[in-house]
Amino acid sequence: MTDMPAVLVNIGYGNSVSARRVVAVVNPESAPVKRLIADARDNGLLLDATCGRRTRAVIVMDSRHLILSAILPETIISRMNESI
């Protein structure tokens, strides 16, 4: 097994996530995603990386953490595709 270098993806305002740990990038407007956000907040698994701006994307990690971003999901996905 070889050690692969971490690939970090910029999710806005100086914040980055490991591309290898991302499960999904979703729009925060649907009711099921809003419930996921509320559950993650209650369980201490929510990270807010919006810097006080409107949430435009929710990043689901393999650790069950949710990360809120002010960058559009399409932009994050594009950045992930460029970095891999």
Side-chain angles (χ1 to χ4, degrees), residues 9-25:
V9 176
N10 183 333
I11 60 167
Y13 307 105
N15 300 299
S16 299
V17 297
S18 173
R20 300 187 198 297
R21 310 260 336 246
V22 173
V23 174
V25 181

Side-chain angles (χ1 to χ4, degrees), residues 6-7 9 11-13 18-20 25 41 46-50 52 56 58 65 67 71 78:
V7 177
V9 176
I11 60 167
Y13 307 105
S18 173
R20 300 187 198 297
V25 181
R41 182 176 286 119
L46 184 69
L47 299 169
D48 187 347
T50 61
R56 293 191 172 175
V58 178
H65 285 84
I67 302 172
I71 305 297
S78 172

Side-chain angles (χ1 to χ4, degrees), residues 13-57:
Y13 307 105
N15 300 299
S16 299
V17 297
S18 173
R20 300 187 198 297
R21 310 260 336 246
V22 173
V23 174
V25 181
V26 296
N27 189 310
E29 300 302 319
S30 70
V33 175
K34 287 181 181 181
R35 282 192 298 272
L36 282 175
I37 292 169
D39 290 345
R41 182 176 286 119
D42 292 344
N43 294 317
L45 297 173
L46 184 69
L47 299 169
D48 187 347
T50 61
C51 294
R53 292 167 179 84
R54 179 174 169 240
T55 299
R56 293 191 172 175

